[in-house]
Amino acid sequence: MSRKSWLVSAAFALLAVAVAACGSSSSGSSSGLSGDIAGAGSSAQQAAQEAWIAKFQDQNSGVNVSYDPVGSGGGRDQFIAGGATDFAGSDSPFDAEELPKAAARCAPGELVQIPDYISPIAIVYNLSGVDNLQLSPDTTAKIFKQEITTWDDPAIKADNPGVDLPSTRITPVNRSDESGTTANFTDYLHEAAPSVWTFDPDGVWPVKGGEAAAQTSGVIQAVKAGDGTIGYADHSQAGDLGVAKVKVGNTYVAPSAAGAAADFDQSQKDPALSQGKFVFAYTVQRTPTDPSSYPVLLVSYLMGCTKYDSADTTSVVDGYFKYIVSSEGQQAAAENAGSAPLPPGITKEVQPAIAAIGG
């Protein structure tokens, strides 16, 4: 059955069925769990991680979970290095160079990498007098490539007929740290505006100049701080900033969980980066024509091991991962971060990876 038919509003119930069918509880809780685990990584996942940790600890009083939103690149590096970081969150999967290092860190166990968070990336802006901004892919790419430098540029006017655009100088804001959000945003620009954005997708911002800020919170603060600024961040962090609509086909589409979910429904598993029995990575569709899809999205991943030196650590990671992908965990993320729940088919597909933890 095609995953295209599922609706976000019904996904929670379907997820519960999928999880139950695979033998995991809806909450992943266990009264016998005890111990501390620490994670690091994606700042886009921060709001979701806060909800997951709070609810998981409520259900497991002997457990303490911490998460440091240092950015996706930092999270992957810390996980590979081992030490105090037991799991990672990243808006990009391990790349071909990182995969063997991550697998070695988990030996004699196996590396686990599963999607846990689907969210739209918002193109956020701060421009006095403009409350409804529309941007085509080429215009967006030219703005962030610094080829368009003022808000009254003809290309922006063409995307926004009838809007009184000021001559204010544009200040693009990008991430200063290695970021999965950057990797997803540059992938969108590369795929949707290839004649303009000639850089390869990368977690490190490729354009010199402009303004840079660390982590999602830093980008949001920088955009808020000046008139004429524009940046990109997980939609959950946009707050009261302006959020641009992006052109899909002939329609301008606002970011939404439903749109991100519809786009992910068209995405494919990436065999080159899914090397390992319990390693999952996906190639996102960036050029849909159906306006029900929102193509500027990130698929974030949860990384861990099937075995740790401590039996308590293994058990707590197992319980926490089960909780995150459960219907209850996905609903908690949706409520706190505005994310889309994992499709039931994906939830079922990754269950063997979670079942292998401690198995």
Side-chain angles (χ1 to χ4, degrees):
M1 181 174 64
S2 172
R3 289 191 289 119
K4 187 69 177 176
S5 61
W6 65 272
L7 299 172
V8 171
S9 60
F12 299 138
L14 291 172
L15 274 165
V17 173
V19 172
C22 294
S24 71
S25 70
S26 65
S27 66
S29 65
S30 169
S31 60
L33 289 180
S34 65
D36 300 348
I37 60 170
S42 163
S43 58
Q45 273 194 43
Q46 183 175 0
Q49 286 284 350
E50 289 170 351
W52 291 329
I53 289 170
K55 292 180 181 294
F56 184 67
Q57 290 182 162
D58 282 347
Q59 298 169 2
N60 299 276
S61 59
V63 164
N64 182 64
V65 182
S66 63
Y67 183 79
D68 185 1
V70 295
S72 295
R76 295 195 308 275
D77 288 346
Q78 288 187 29
F79 178 79
I80 288 171
T85 302
D86 303 301
F87 70 94
S90 175
D91 307 329
S92 295
F94 284 118
D95 64 26
E97 183 178 340
E98 294 170 325
L99 272 170
K101 298 176 184 177
R105 179 261 154 98
C106 287
E110 301 267 1
L111 173 65
V112 172
Q113 175 180 277
I114 57 172
D116 67 329
Y117 180 77
I118 302 168
S119 182
I121 297 171
I123 300 173
V124 292
Y125 68 95
N126 186 6
L127 184 61
S128 297
V130 179
D131 298 323
N132 185 19
L133 182 68
Q134 301 181 156
L135 295 173
S136 66
D138 281 359
T139 303
T140 304
K142 288 176 182 177
I143 288 172
F144 282 93
K145 201 176 179 182
Q146 301 172 40
E147 292 180 357
I148 293 176
T149 58
T150 61
W151 283 103
D152 61 352
D153 187 275
I156 302 178
K157 286 184 174 180
D159 287 342
N160 296 272
V163 177
D164 185 15
L165 293 163
S167 60
T168 308
R169 185 169 183 82
I170 298 174
T171 302
V173 180
N174 58 265
R175 289 280 290 270
S176 61
D177 52 329
E178 184 179 354
S179 157
T181 307
T182 295
N184 280 276
F185 187 58
T186 56
D187 185 48
Y188 164 72
L189 296 175
H190 177 77
E191 295 295 327
S195 64
V196 179
W197 195 263
T198 53
F199 308 101
D200 288 332
D202 203 319
V204 177
W205 187 253
V207 183
K208 303 301 180 183
E211 186 172 344
Q215 303 174 14
T216 302
S217 59
V219 170
I220 293 297
Q221 290 169 7
V223 174
K224 285 182 177 180
D227 190 35
T229 50
I230 187 169
Y232 56 92
D234 190 87
H235 190 223
S236 66
Q237 306 297 313
D240 57 0
L241 286 171
V243 174
K245 296 178 180 178
V246 303
K247 194 171 187 179
V248 177
N250 295 317
T251 305
Y252 289 92
V253 178
S256 68
D263 192 86
F264 183 65
D265 193 50
Q266 304 170 59
S267 301
Q268 302 294 321
K269 192 173 179 181
D270 185 341
L273 297 183
S274 298
Q275 298 295 318
K277 193 187 307 183
F278 307 122
V279 176
F280 297 83
Y282 295 86
T283 301
V284 177
Q285 167 62 264
R286 301 297 187 188
T287 57
T289 56
D290 186 342
S292 67
S293 295
Y294 181 80
V296 196
L297 73 145
L298 58 84
V299 178
S300 205
Y301 296 85
L302 196 60
M303 291 106 161
C305 302
T306 60
K307 183 178 181 181
Y308 295 84
D309 291 340
S310 162
D312 283 346
T313 299
T314 302
S315 295
V316 176
V317 169
D318 176 45
Y320 190 53
F321 279 31
K322 278 187 171 75
Y323 173 75
I324 286 174
V325 301
S326 72
S327 58
E328 183 181 342
Q330 289 294 294
Q331 184 170 1
E335 291 172 352
N336 206 49
S339 57
L342 292 172
I346 296 296
T347 304
K348 186 174 182 179
E349 186 175 30
V350 304
Q351 284 299 323
I354 300 175
I357 301 175

